[in-house]
Amino acid sequence: MKMIRSSLILILPLFMAACTPSEEKAVVTSTPTATQIPIIRPQIYKEDDVEVVQGALKNPDLKTSYNSADQTMSLKGHVNFTPFENEAPFEFDLDLFGSSELPGTITMRPTPSAKLPQGMKIAAKATCIGEDETSCDDSFIDIYFSYNKRVYHHQIEVLSEKTKKIQSENKKTDYATSVGAEEDDDDTEDVDSPRVIDVTAPKNSGVKKGLPLVRLDHENEPIEEDDDVEGETGRYIGDLKGDIHNILYAEPKDAIGPAVPAIAPVAPVKPVDNKGQKTDEKKTEEKAPTPKTPESKIDDKKPEPAKKTEPLTPKAEVKPGPAKSEVTPKPSETSQAPTPEEKPAEKEETSQPVKNEIDITKKIMQVIGFANSGRLKKALNLYDYSQKHQPVGYYIARPEIEIHYGGNELAYLIIKIGKFALTHIDDYSVRIGDLSKKNGGTIYTKYKGVPIPKHLSHKNGLDADMSYFFKDPKDQGQSALHKGSARSDWMIELQWKLFKELVSTNLVDRFFVHRNVKKALCRYARKNEEISKDTRTGLAYETLWRLQPRPADHADHFHIRAKCSSLQQGCRPSPEPTPGTGCF
């Protein structure tokens, strides 16, 4: 696959807070139960020169104990291990202990009393995801096994009782306010089709029948209830490639935790190339899996003070669709970093590689959890950015309500959308609606005087709403459809080009659009012979694959969701959409 190089790499001076315990902090030990993130069946992935198996642990009974005073953690329990290649499963006890080696993480290795199966090497890493960055009360733990020339990986989530209680209360509040507001939907204000249509409206109500209802809030904005996907199957991104090299294969440090018994190293697995043929074992031993550090550049024409922040530009490979392969790509590493080419609107800007102001291998850790149940840390202010870097080609529609924050990947895409508008249309700025709150969480609005959740998602800095392209910029915010068909002044050619360019970054998880908007784009792609019934790969195919239709809303705007990149270790991706263009 081709690597897309950026002509403008943006630097974000985010500094990871040290995870050093305060001397005044009391000793607190927590023993929450570790909840496993389920995998239906064992799967094998390829990480550089190492094959990684996930799903080999069945129903592990694991418990953690965390001491916040000295930043130590133990992981104990009984596991049932199933090797990948037709070997009989066996059981053994897990007993790991460790302390913090890097800020925000705890590395654990077997204790002296641990009894491991012959030929097995084990290590684990806890990544802190709590509100307080000096605490690992909330974390996810990556467990690594090296056995019979394969690497096995298992991930669990550890939540404190306090966090569990907060999450439970939030879900109850969201559900109660949402259900309570639905009792009197019948007198919802009617607007032009196809935005608000009610199948249950009484006769002579003036509300059209035949499609689901879209409610409007007190600011005449749609209340989106179906803009998310079901099934939270994604895993925390973590740093699998780096951990295999730096934790599993690395020699333990004497200063970490209690004495660790010597463990015989296991020979690396023979890598499998794209044709499924094994390569020379000697070459494999010479090339250990190492984490890659993205290169970074900044614009040398406009140096900014350290306080001005811009999104990092991670690298990414363009994936032309869900093509089948012998080794499945790792789902949590959907994207490593975006480097699409930037074309300035007026004149080309030159850039030169410079030394990084920060070590981005430490990760950003802004986006935490799922889009519909997560939160946001160290958020980027897209309104502030637009004010300081005019012209940017976009504007925040309602800055006063303070929901214009996003993670690095979403900010990158929005800035790219603005540059696209400046490049193709004179004096045009794209209208940007809801993003996320500064710290993420549920966005509330009012419906008939009652506060209710406005979105199912938009909770962790991955989601944004924005208007379609119109010949008259003043029409932004209106429906792109008229009587179910594309309006003549909706710039569908430019819209289609934008969608494809965004997908080419490999940073777009999905778009949500009205189903008739999707139909119009399907007709346009077929007319230009970009797709057919037999098309299974290519940029047009993947773009249509990621355009997810909705039955009623998203006619006056589209919803973009960014992927979790490798910079966001605490992010949990949504399941991939069902393959196919949906056009035939």
Side-chain angles (χ1 to χ4, degrees):
M1 295 185 181
K2 297 181 180 179
M3 296 295 295
I4 304 177
R5 296 192 177 184
S6 173
S7 61
L8 179 61
I9 306 280
L10 306 175
I11 295 296
L12 173 64
L14 290 174
F15 295 90
M16 296 296 293
C19 200
T20 305
S22 171
E23 294 181 359
E24 300 178 359
K25 194 169 184 178
V27 176
V28 178
T29 302
S30 59
T31 56
T33 300
T35 303
Q36 65 170 330
I37 301 172
I39 292 182
I40 298 176
R41 59 184 181 276
Q43 302 175 53
I44 187 166
Y45 304 96
K46 189 172 182 181
E47 294 292 340
D48 288 340
D49 292 335
V50 180
E51 290 180 352
V52 180
V53 179
Q54 293 180 335
L57 292 190
K58 304 299 180 183
N59 301 316
D61 180 18
L62 301 174
K63 290 187 179 295
T64 61
S65 179
Y66 167 64
N67 189 317
S68 62
D70 56 9
Q71 290 285 289
T72 60
M73 181 179 288
S74 66
L75 176 65
K76 298 182 179 182
H78 189 73
V79 299
N80 187 318
F81 179 75
T82 304
F84 189 73
E85 291 181 341
N86 300 321
E87 294 185 42
F90 55 88
E91 299 179 2
F92 63 93
D93 291 325
L94 201 62
D95 188 0
L96 306 179
F97 179 87
S99 59
S100 179
E101 292 185 2
L102 292 173
T105 66
I106 295 177
T107 300
M108 292 175 280
R109 294 188 174 89
T111 65
S113 61
K115 296 180 180 179
L116 298 180
Q118 185 175 4
M120 179 177 285
K121 185 174 183 179
I122 298 178
K125 184 183 79 171
T127 302
C128 309
I129 56 173
E131 295 283 357
D132 182 2
E133 293 183 5
T134 65
S135 171
C136 268
D137 284 324
D138 298 329
S139 64
F140 65 90
I141 301 176
D142 291 294
I143 308 171
Y144 300 95
F145 303 78
S146 178
Y147 181 73
N148 280 1
K149 298 184 179 181
R150 287 196 189 278
V151 173
Y152 293 82
H153 173 236
H154 189 80
Q155 191 177 89
I156 59 176
E157 182 177 31
V158 180
L159 297 179
S160 64
E161 292 302 321
K162 178 182 177 181
T163 300
K164 291 178 182 178
K165 183 178 180 180
I166 292 174
Q167 288 185 351
S168 177
E169 291 175 351
N170 288 342
K171 288 182 179 179
K172 289 179 181 179
T173 302
D174 289 356
Y175 177 78
T177 54
S178 180
V179 171
E182 290 179 355
E183 296 176 355
D184 56 355
D185 278 343
D186 288 348
D187 58 347
T188 301
E189 179 185 357
D190 187 17
V191 296
D192 186 30
S193 174
R195 279 182 63 186
V196 177
I197 302 172
D198 188 3
V199 294
T200 62
K203 293 181 179 180
N204 303 321
S205 66
V207 179
K208 299 178 181 180
K209 294 179 178 290
L211 291 176
L213 171 73
V214 175
R215 295 177 295 153
L216 301 180
D217 66 10
H218 63 297
E219 295 180 329
N220 205 40
E221 291 284 333
I223 299 171
E224 301 172 3
E225 296 185 350
D226 64 343
D227 61 353
D228 211 344
V229 292
E230 297 181 359
E232 299 182 350
T233 59
R235 305 166 63 82
Y236 287 104
I237 291 294
D239 186 19
L240 196 151
K241 286 189 288 188
D243 291 347
I244 290 174
H245 176 73
N246 298 319
I247 295 177
L248 182 62
Y249 287 158
E251 291 297 324
K253 298 180 180 179
D254 294 337
I256 300 301
V260 181
I263 304 175
V266 179
V269 66
K270 294 181 181 180
V272 179
D273 59 23
N274 293 333
K275 297 181 180 179
Q277 298 177 345
K278 293 188 176 182
T279 57
D280 183 55
E281 185 173 0
K282 293 182 179 180
K283 293 181 179 179
T284 302
E285 294 175 351
E286 295 173 358
K287 186 179 179 181
T290 56
K292 298 178 181 179
T293 304
E295 297 178 357
S296 296
K297 303 177 183 180
I298 59 172
D299 182 358
D300 64 346
K301 292 192 71 176
K302 298 180 180 180
E304 300 289 353
K307 292 184 179 180
K308 293 189 178 182
T309 62
E310 299 181 2
L312 285 166
T313 319
K315 292 182 180 178
E317 293 182 353
V318 179
K319 298 182 180 180
K324 294 183 179 180
S325 60
E326 294 187 8
V327 180
T328 308
K330 176 176 171 284
S332 63
E333 199 75 276
T334 52
S335 156
Q336 293 194 6
T339 56
E341 298 197 13
E342 302 289 356
K343 297 179 181 179
E346 300 294 334
K347 53 187 177 181
E348 278 197 30
E349 297 181 1
T350 58
S351 59
Q352 298 176 354
V354 298
K355 186 177 180 180
N356 244 343
E357 296 180 7
I358 58 171
D359 180 7
I360 63 176
T361 60
K362 291 182 179 179
K363 311 300 178 183
I364 298 178
M365 290 291 288
Q366 298 169 295
V367 179
I368 307 296
F370 290 104
N372 67 345
S373 60
R375 56 187 174 82
L376 184 60
K377 300 192 300 184
K378 306 173 191 169
L380 290 175
N381 187 328
L382 271 297
Y383 174 73
D384 184 63
Y385 181 91
S386 68
Q387 298 303 297
K388 294 178 179 179
H389 297 81
Q390 288 291 341
V392 292
Y394 73 85
Y395 71 96
I396 302 297
R398 297 175 295 161
E400 68 279 0
I401 61 177
E402 292 285 324
I403 51 174
H404 43 253
Y405 295 89
N408 181 78
E409 293 71 20
L410 180 64
Y412 176 87
L413 290 171
I414 289 177
I415 292 172
K416 185 172 183 64
I417 290 169
K419 290 179 179 292
F420 180 92
L422 290 173
T423 302
H424 293 88
I425 316 174
D426 292 334
D427 301 321
Y428 198 99
S429 290
V430 178
R431 181 183 187 271
I432 307 294
D434 298 351
L435 281 78
S436 294
K437 296 189 296 186
K438 185 174 183 179
N439 296 314
T442 304
I443 296 175
Y444 287 92
T445 187
K446 288 184 178 180
Y447 179 68
K448 299 179 180 180
V450 179
I452 65 171
K454 185 175 182 181
H455 302 277
L456 292 179
S457 54
H458 289 259
K459 294 183 180 179
N460 69 345
L462 290 179
D463 300 272
D465 294 331
M466 57 199 70
S467 297
Y468 296 107
F469 284 122
F470 288 94
K471 293 179 180 178
D472 186 347
K474 295 180 182 178
D475 287 341
Q476 291 189 91
Q478 296 186 21
S479 175
L481 305 170
H482 177 64
K483 295 183 179 180
S485 299
R487 284 173 45 169
S488 60
D489 57 346
W490 171 36
M491 304 173 73
I492 187 172
E493 178 181 0
L494 197 60
Q495 197 73 56
W496 173 239
K497 186 174 182 179
L498 172 67
F499 284 147
K500 289 192 296 182
E501 184 160 327
L502 294 175
V503 169
S504 73
T505 68
N506 197 33
L507 253 258
V508 174
D509 177 75
R510 60 194 46 160
F511 304 98
F512 296 104
V513 298
H514 190 280
R515 60 184 177 186
N516 289 339
V517 169
K518 173 71 178 281
K519 289 179 181 178
L521 292 168
C522 283
R523 286 193 294 267
Y524 186 83
R526 291 199 306 265
K527 179 182 177 182
N528 293 336
E529 298 182 348
E530 295 182 71
I531 60 167
S532 67
K533 287 184 179 181
D534 299 326
T535 303
R536 295 293 183 271
T537 59
L539 183 56
Y541 172 88
E542 183 169 2
T543 302
L544 291 165
W545 169 42
R546 297 195 179 277
L547 281 165
Q548 296 294 295
R550 288 296 176 261
D553 54 357
H554 298 93
D556 60 348
H557 71 282
F558 68 91
H559 175 156
I560 185 173
R561 174 170 298 160
K563 286 183 180 180
C564 299
S565 84
S566 60
L567 295 174
Q568 307 287 0
Q569 289 194 16
C571 185
R572 295 182 70 175
S574 302
E576 287 279 52
T578 302
T581 62
C583 296
F584 299 95

